[in-house]
Amino acid sequence: MYLTGATSFSTDGKVHQGQKTWGKDANAALLSNFEVFQLLTDLKQQRKESGKNKQSSGQQNLNTIMYETLKYISKTPCRYQSPETVREFLAAMKGHKLTKAEKLQLLNHRPVTAVEIQLMVEESEERLTEEQIESLLQTVTSILPGDSEGQQRDSAMATDSKGDRA
């Protein structure tokens, strides 16, 4: 199953927008955290506007799932993304030999260290040089917006750990 309408990936690496419908297609199977966040935010807004107060138990369960998913996903880098940044990121990734799943991991998690890249890219030691990993990090951090407070905390921790080794 895949979702069209929210920002969606296709086999040509492009991001598409359109009517939200569900369907089966072997070429479109992955959703980014940004797409899920955008879809659930839109659904939540539509429900507020409709103003229906009476809900079945199934609807209440769905609301709980939506709430918990939004709560989790709003703590990830996707909350700072937009369709434009996703398009720009995918265009920049064309120069790197990565699978769709690896690109999606990078988009969803916005790695800031070489170790994180190595965890997200399968067999990275064999496939990527240190320069390519640094290039990937530069691309990810320059295009994908992040939590500046969290980045400062991470860089401070990295600096502290380097000082511990000296």
Side-chain angles (χ1 to χ4, degrees), residues 52-106:
K52 290 184 180 177
N53 291 332
K54 215 167 195 183
Q55 297 175 348
S56 67
S57 64
Q59 189 64 43
Q60 289 172 348
N61 291 340
L62 181 58
N63 287 342
T64 302
I65 292 168
M66 283 178 52
Y67 170 78
E68 292 295 332
T69 303
L70 274 171
K71 183 177 163 185
Y72 167 77
I73 213 165
S74 66
K75 297 175 187 173
T76 68
C78 78
R79 73 174 187 244
Y80 304 111
Q81 295 173 0
S82 69
E84 294 76 28
T85 57
V86 172
R87 271 192 289 278
E88 185 181 349
F89 175 76
L90 291 176
M93 287 291 107
K94 286 184 180 180
H96 301 279
K97 294 180 179 175
L98 299 173
T99 66
K100 280 185 190 181
E102 291 165 341
K103 291 175 190 176
L104 186 63
Q105 288 273 21
L106 296 175

